[in-house]
Amino acid sequence: GHTTGPSLNNDKLYKFAYTAEVYVDRVKASLQKSAGYRISSGVDVNLLWRNPDNDDDQLIKIMMKDVQVENVNERPAAKNIFEGKSTEKIIGKEYLEALQRPIVVELVRGKVKTFYSYQNEPGFTQNIKRGLASLFQLQLHSGSSREVDISGKCNTTYHVRQYQVTKIKDLDSCEIEKKRFTSHSRILDVSTKATSATVYVLEDSFIKSIKAEENFVFVLNYRRKTGAKIVSKQRLELKSVQAGMGLIAAKQVAGVIKTLDPSYVAMPLEAEPVKSECKKCPSLSEHWQSIREHMHPDKLSKPEAAKSFLSFIQNIRRATKEEILKIIKSENKEFLPQVVDAVTSAQTPESLEAILEFLDFKDASTFILQERFLYACGFASHPTETLLKSLTEKFKGEVASQEIRETLVIVMGALIRKLCDREGCKLPAVVEAKRLILNRLEKAKKDDNVQMYLLALKNALLPEAIPVLLKYAESGEGPISSLAATALQRYDPSFLTKEVKETMNRIYHQTRKVHEKTVRTTAAAIILNSNPSYMEVKNILLSIGELPMEMNKYMLSMIQDILHFEMPSSKTVRQVLKDMRAHNYDRFSKTGSSSAYTGYITRGPDVSSTYSLDILYSGSGILRRSNMNIHVFDRNTELHAIQVVIEAQGLESIIAATPDEGEENLDSFAGMSAILFDFQLRPVTFFQGYGDLMSKMLSATGDAMNVVKGLVLLTDFLQEIQLQSGPTASAEFMGGLAIDISGGMEFSLWYRESKTNVKNRVAMFIAGNTEVDSFFVKTGMETTLETETSLDFISTVQFSQYPFLVCMQMDRVDSPFRTHMTKYESLPSGRRYTARRGKAATLAGNEYPLHQENSNMCKKVFGAKSDSAGSWF
């Protein structure tokens, strides 16, 4: 009769040879040196029953025999973990017996309708048998469908040519329960690719040979050299056909199974979840004791701190709430902040419950721990709705410290954005948090409150918040309008409507009221960065020359930077400049010390990074705003890695200078605000008010204030994989950053000089582990990468003459860079084969070039300094 699936002959025994191999290695490596293993066996297949009413409904028995386990690549005896061990010793007696017990499969039109096996067999052996059974599923006509096999329910396409059938399985479409999470930012994440193909050769209406191959590739987006691949291959070859048992007579399948062995049960063909127990894993507190010394606050800018942080997170993710609380409650205050960083970054329900039970927001004395907890929430790689909900509850309750209250709402803003980016904008907790922030901003009376809700919106970047931000940018007082404008600056230009641009033009050209220079320059930057029209550019260029002295210089510098760095609007700017030639000379020959500059830190095949530095002074030589940024981007996305802004106002009285027009009544203030990995932190104040300024100046030690210190989980990727040959695999990549950013401002009245200093000290550790786990052997590859560096940005101003001298320096120290790779194969007994490779290099330090004008000034500043005594005041 006609069949659409393979058909077995009656009374025959088909004897096959079967191998299943796995390989783990670097992405580009050839498989000859990979870590891995091979399972091989004989496989006997025979027909038990054919449905009398339908030729295409067959029951077949499949049985593995003579199972062997060996290396996938030749190894000398000393390096062979299987050397001198029988299969029974490697796999274990009961496991081997289970593996060699036959399975029964009902094939209808070539597809597996039912898979029969024995209950209470170990999941591992059951999955290996499922992998074998799945190979027998094929159709003999071309076409696509969703079908279930060991990988779950997947889109599968068949191509049929005479005696050859190719089956392509789209692994991304498979529905199967597997753990997986990724990092929030694309740049910090891992790209994956998975393929599966099986080629069948048919003979005499049944299978002559099968070759199946699956490939999984993982690469780190910001360093594509760091990655891994898993290759899984299966082969089944017909060796002989012999005389076999006769068929079992029965009307229905159930009858056949009963006759054969009543203890057979029907089971899903989809793999069952299995996890091998960790026999020698230390407890959480044992692990903490072993890494504790590296987590001392003084060691936080070393790669070892970041490395310990990552391994601690991995262990916390396996721990219970009680185990976590035990460590938190027993640790002293030097180490606690680092423990809080790790527990919060672990992001499991247990770790969140533990930390919330421990922290008491009604108690101001644990301020540092509350702040570290909140910042770690803001950096969360895959935050949950529960986390946002918990923070909203805390915010509505009693919070002892005003600064923590502010931080709470700022972090809620960051979580709203991360959840919205993952299609979570409609979740009840997100809707509630959005409503809370927008409603409270509307009702806020005090500037401090307005400011904290605006900072939350600066993180949330909600499209519906744009009208509110416009209102505050145009009609708010100094610092508030400045904050609203910088929030708008963070939106993608595609959100900036006609209304936004009209408002920015009104602010810059002061159509309705006088605005501070800081707000006007931000408005100009927004206009020039969002596809400006010819007229918008022309009006900005025409205004240069009519602006206050230092602002003229700043705007001129901004325009030159757009041209030199070939920014998107540079074409329009060039066009306007060509048409304006007559007006140029006088307008563009302004003196002053303010400036804006952008340059590359790195330009690579995977990612590039830029730094930009802009500084705006008041007419008397006092800093108004210095802004340092580092952006990292690849072809598709951009990450605002760091921004440090130092703002000052109303400081003219110190040097008995005249304030700029419209700035006579500004309160004395200096402070600093930072963005780290797209997350706006709570700004810190150096001093507020004249009295505070004077007392700090007279006791000026020039000590830098800490802006942010701690451990951040940047890359957090985990994917579990079901291989079609039976084993499970996983790929885990984690990147930790130990960071210490501080900034300060000092004055010397004696030398009429001021200095601002921003120090960024960072250490990074990345660890990747790609592993295939069969119950009796594990094989995989670990890669690590570590580096540490510090970036200093110093600006020195001498205001004893006009134009005053400004020297800006941006320096990076020598940075060691180390990579390691270990491939391994190991048995539960502890017998292990490893192959290691490592590379170390030093990235030479660098003084980043700013514009030529700056270099000339630095020579003057440091030339002038050498003949005067070095003390301040």
Side-chain angles (χ1 to χ4, degrees):
H2 170 71
T3 63
T4 51
S7 172
L8 285 78
N9 289 327
N10 306 0
D11 315 333
K12 294 278 190 243
L13 177 64
Y14 294 83
K15 290 184 97 59
F16 289 91
Y18 176 62
T19 59
E21 301 171 337
V22 294
Y23 301 83
V24 184
D25 212 328
R26 294 194 327 273
V27 179
K28 293 272 199 290
S30 75
L31 298 181
Q32 276 86 18
K33 291 192 172 156
S34 302
Y37 56 87
R38 174 189 297 124
I39 297 174
S40 55
S41 78
V43 171
D44 287 358
V45 180
N46 63 301
L47 182 68
L48 293 172
W49 172 85
R50 180 178 271 121
N51 188 336
D53 306 325
N54 174 8
D55 276 0
D56 237 343
D57 180 358
Q58 315 169 79
L59 203 61
I60 63 172
K61 179 167 132 189
I62 302 170
M63 181 173 178
M64 292 177 81
K65 19 182 8 168
D66 311 322
V67 176
Q68 303 287 322
V69 182
E70 57 202 341
N71 285 120
V72 75
N73 284 316
E74 287 299 311
R75 302 218 188 286
K79 292 192 167 183
N80 180 353
I81 56 169
F82 306 120
E83 182 66 27
K85 289 193 174 227
S86 66
T87 306
E88 187 174 301
K89 191 107 173 87
I90 297 168
I91 294 184
K93 191 167 187 271
E94 59 164 320
Y95 278 74
L96 185 58
E97 280 171 4
L99 200 53
Q100 302 194 8
R101 258 181 235 132
I103 51 172
V104 175
V105 172
E106 183 183 4
L107 288 177
V108 178
R109 289 193 293 281
K111 304 291 172 89
V112 176
K113 184 182 174 194
T114 329
F115 168 77
Y116 295 96
S117 186
Y118 294 99
Q119 235 167 346
N120 305 329
E121 270 188 21
F124 281 112
T125 54
Q126 208 74 278
N127 282 347
I128 287 178
K129 294 198 276 191
R130 286 184 167 105
L132 185 55
S134 297
L135 284 178
F136 285 89
Q137 172 157 285
L138 83 151
Q139 66 184 40
L140 298 183
H141 58 275
S142 296
S144 299
S145 64
R146 274 183 85 66
E147 58 178 50
V148 175
D149 69 0
I150 180 169
S151 312
K153 192 172 192 179
C154 314
N155 294 343
T156 311
T157 306
Y158 289 91
H159 300 282
V160 180
R161 281 211 323 262
Q162 281 182 316
Y163 302 111
Q164 190 174 310
V165 179
T166 306
K167 170 161 84 171
I168 304 288
K169 194 155 60 177
D170 173 6
L171 293 172
D172 293 331
S173 71
C174 295
E175 284 171 37
I176 190 167
E177 270 306 299
K178 278 285 166 249
K179 225 162 118 181
R180 142 159 222 174
F181 45 75
T182 57
S183 309
H184 176 258
S185 160
R186 276 277 308 137
I187 288 181
L188 301 173
D189 205 26
V190 172
S191 292
T192 62
K193 195 174 172 205
T195 56
S196 161
T198 308
V199 177
Y200 295 84
V201 177
L202 305 176
E203 188 177 78
D204 190 17
S205 81
F206 194 49
I207 291 161
K208 182 184 179 189
S209 71
I210 305 176
K211 277 186 191 170
E213 184 171 321
E214 252 183 327
N215 282 279
F216 297 89
V217 173
F218 305 92
V219 291
L220 206 51
N221 290 341
Y222 50 98
R223 189 177 190 269
R224 298 185 79 85
K225 266 190 193 159
T226 301
K229 70 173 165 193
I230 298 172
V231 179
S232 158
K233 297 183 176 190
Q234 289 165 284
R235 292 185 75 139
L236 191 71
E237 286 194 39
L238 184 63
K239 290 298 181 199
S240 66
V241 182
Q242 303 172 3
M245 303 265 294
L247 298 184
I248 297 173
K251 267 296 207 206
Q252 241 109 36
V253 175
V256 187
I257 295 292
K258 212 171 190 164
T259 313
L260 191 66
D261 186 343
S263 36
Y264 269 124
V265 282
M267 297 183 172
L269 186 55
E270 183 182 306
E272 62 185 90
V274 284
K275 201 85 193 114
S276 58
E277 282 308 299
C278 189
K279 301 247 188 328
K280 299 196 171 81
C281 281
S283 71
L284 189 62
S285 48
E286 285 167 346
H287 178 255
W288 168 243
Q289 287 311 319
S290 71
I291 58 164
R292 186 173 179 270
E293 58 164 323
H294 302 301
M295 305 285 259
H296 190 276
D298 298 344
K299 296 191 179 169
L300 279 197
S301 50
K302 289 274 164 253
E304 201 57 55
K307 178 184 181 178
S308 305
F309 171 63
L310 296 182
S311 66
F312 194 28
I313 290 175
Q314 284 175 316
N315 274 316
I316 295 170
R317 284 180 170 165
R318 293 194 282 266
T320 63
K321 175 180 155 185
E322 288 65 40
E323 291 173 297
I324 298 168
L325 272 169
K326 190 174 139 195
I327 291 183
I328 300 179
K329 286 179 170 164
S330 62
E331 202 38 88
N332 71 30
K333 68 170 192 287
E334 273 196 308
F335 288 92
L336 255 176
Q338 290 72 263
V339 174
V340 170
D341 286 341
V343 170
T344 313
S345 302
Q347 302 171 73
T348 62
E350 292 77 11
S351 63
L352 180 61
E353 279 176 31
I355 194 81
L356 287 173
E357 184 171 313
F358 171 72
L359 289 176
D360 178 8
F361 286 86
K362 298 187 189 72
D363 173 9
S365 71
T366 55
F367 171 85
I368 286 284
L369 300 178
Q370 295 169 39
E371 183 177 61
R372 289 284 272 266
F373 160 69
L374 290 170
Y375 279 166
C377 292
F379 291 123
S381 49
H382 47 272
T384 58
E385 187 189 6
T386 318
L387 177 60
L388 178 58
K389 201 174 163 171
S390 312
L391 296 191
T392 310
E393 292 305 310
K394 293 288 176 206
F395 182 73
K396 288 169 154 176
E398 187 193 326
V399 180
S401 149
Q402 177 56 22
E403 288 180 323
I404 290 297
R405 235 183 95 73
E406 289 170 20
T407 310
L408 255 167
V409 78
I410 292 171
V411 170
M412 282 161 59
L415 294 178
I416 290 172
R417 177 176 175 204
K418 286 184 172 182
L419 289 163
C420 281
D421 281 351
R422 301 213 159 173
E423 274 65 75
C425 248
K426 303 265 188 295
L427 295 169
V430 178
V431 174
E432 190 198 351
K434 285 200 284 198
R435 210 171 36 220
L436 180 110
I437 293 170
L438 290 166
N439 288 349
R440 297 225 178 158
L441 175 57
E442 215 173 306
K443 296 193 182 77
K445 296 279 181 284
K446 293 214 314 269
D447 278 3
D448 285 358
N449 286 341
V450 171
Q451 220 152 345
M452 88 182 175
Y453 295 117
L454 287 176
L455 284 161
L457 291 177
K458 189 173 175 180
N459 273 330
L461 297 181
L462 301 168
E464 63 264 40
I466 290 179
V468 189
L469 293 171
L470 286 177
K471 182 187 92 178
Y472 280 104
E474 192 167 21
S475 53
E477 283 310 302
I480 283 185
S481 89
S482 182
L483 174 54
T486 59
L488 287 163
Q489 201 175 8
R490 292 196 66 202
Y491 280 84
D492 188 271
S494 61
F495 284 106
L496 303 179
T497 54
K498 190 163 136 277
E499 194 190 350
V500 175
K501 295 178 81 172
E502 283 168 0
T503 310
M504 293 305 117
N505 278 296
R506 282 199 303 270
I507 291 175
Y508 177 73
H509 297 291
Q510 307 198 91
T511 322
R512 291 190 179 164
K513 63 175 259 198
V514 174
H515 292 278
E516 282 184 37
K517 291 197 286 284
T518 45
V519 186
R520 293 180 67 191
T521 49
T522 304
I526 291 173
I527 297 165
L528 292 169
N529 191 32
S530 40
N531 194 8
S533 68
Y534 181 91
M535 275 319 289
E536 285 178 312
V537 173
K538 185 169 182 178
N539 286 334
I540 287 178
L541 288 175
L542 282 171
S543 73
I544 296 178
E546 318 297 321
L547 302 167
M549 219 158 27
E550 281 297 329
M551 187 171 160
N552 256 332
K553 183 69 177 48
Y554 181 87
M555 288 305 301
L556 193 53
S557 195
M558 187 194 279
I559 297 289
Q560 283 162 340
D561 194 38
I562 288 172
L563 296 172
H564 120 90
F565 203 71
E566 297 281 340
M567 292 177 192
S569 58
S570 57
K571 281 198 181 73
T572 315
V573 173
R574 280 209 168 82
Q575 190 53 51
V576 175
L577 283 170
K578 231 164 78 186
D579 302 347
M580 276 177 63
R581 225 174 289 148
H583 312 282
N584 283 357
Y585 182 73
D586 177 49
R587 174 169 286 117
F588 296 151
S589 59
K590 295 297 173 194
T591 53
S593 308
S594 301
S595 64
Y597 188 81
T598 306
Y600 278 102
I601 299 179
T602 55
R603 295 181 83 160
D606 310 327
V607 295
S608 297
S609 52
T610 59
Y611 62 96
S612 66
L613 208 47
D614 61 82
I615 285 204
L616 176 63
Y617 292 95
S618 71
S620 53
I622 298 259
L623 177 80
R624 282 292 268 121
R625 183 184 64 211
S626 91
N627 183 352
M628 178 198 95
N629 289 282
I630 294 177
H631 282 92
V632 184
F633 51 92
D634 60 13
R635 286 180 208 89
N636 320 316
T637 39
E638 182 179 329
L639 174 68
H640 200 166
I642 290 182
Q643 178 186 65
V644 181
V645 180
I646 294 183
E647 287 210 49
Q649 61 176 41
L651 304 186
E652 281 71 16
S653 49
I654 313 172
I655 57 165
T658 317
D660 289 3
E661 192 186 350
E663 299 191 353
E664 294 85 2
N665 304 325
L666 292 180
D667 197 14
S668 302
F669 163 83
M672 176 163 171
S673 162
I675 289 175
L676 204 52
F677 301 108
D678 274 335
F679 167 44
Q680 164 77 50
L681 309 177
R682 188 188 74 251
V684 293
T685 301
F686 296 149
F687 50 79
Q688 176 97 47
Y690 190 71
D692 188 22
L693 163 66
M694 276 333 224
S695 69
K696 287 202 171 121
M697 268 185 63
L698 297 172
S699 64
T701 50
D703 275 357
M705 259 181 88
N706 199 283
V707 183
V708 61
K709 184 176 187 150
L711 296 150
V712 180
L713 180 60
L714 282 187
T715 295
D716 191 13
F717 173 90
L718 172 75
Q719 188 173 349
E720 289 183 349
I721 299 158
Q722 177 60 53
L723 297 181
Q724 57 194 26
S725 55
T728 49
S730 64
E732 183 175 30
F733 287 85
M734 291 172 92
L737 194 70
I739 194 156
D740 192 342
I741 298 181
S742 54
M745 196 169 178
E746 42 185 330
F747 283 94
S748 156
L749 292 181
W750 188 258
Y751 290 117
R752 298 182 74 78
E753 178 172 280
S754 82
K755 244 187 180 167
T756 43
N757 184 349
V758 178
K759 247 184 158 36
N760 301 293
R761 285 166 59 200
V762 292
M764 184 159 186
F765 191 89
I766 298 163
N769 185 18
T770 307
E771 181 172 83
V772 177
D773 180 5
S774 257
F775 52 100
F776 55 87
V777 55
K778 275 186 181 183
T779 181
M781 180 176 80
E782 287 169 359
T783 42
T784 64
L785 186 140
E786 59 184 89
T787 180
E788 60 188 290
T789 189
S790 90
L791 193 67
D792 288 357
F793 161 54
I794 303 159
S795 64
T796 312
V797 185
Q798 291 182 347
F799 36 74
S800 46
Q801 62 194 65
Y802 190 85
F804 35 86
L805 298 176
V806 181
C807 165
M808 293 186 289
Q809 295 152 289
M810 188 160 132
D811 298 340
R812 179 171 53 72
V813 298
D814 286 357
S815 318
F817 184 86
R818 287 182 289 277
T819 57
H820 282 280
M821 181 196 69
T822 307
K823 290 187 259 194
Y824 60 88
E825 295 157 0
S826 72
L827 297 175
S829 65
R831 196 191 266 200
R832 192 173 164 95
Y833 156 77
T834 50
R836 288 193 172 83
R837 280 179 54 175
K839 261 210 314 239
T842 300
L843 218 60
N846 191 359
E847 188 168 322
Y848 287 98
L850 299 165
H851 28 66
Q852 188 53 49
E853 203 178 334
N854 182 60
S855 313
N856 301 345
M857 278 214 190
C858 287
K859 291 194 184 97
K860 282 191 194 166
V861 170
F862 291 107
K865 290 274 290 279
S866 53
D867 53 323
S868 54
S871 104
W872 290 77
F873 303 117

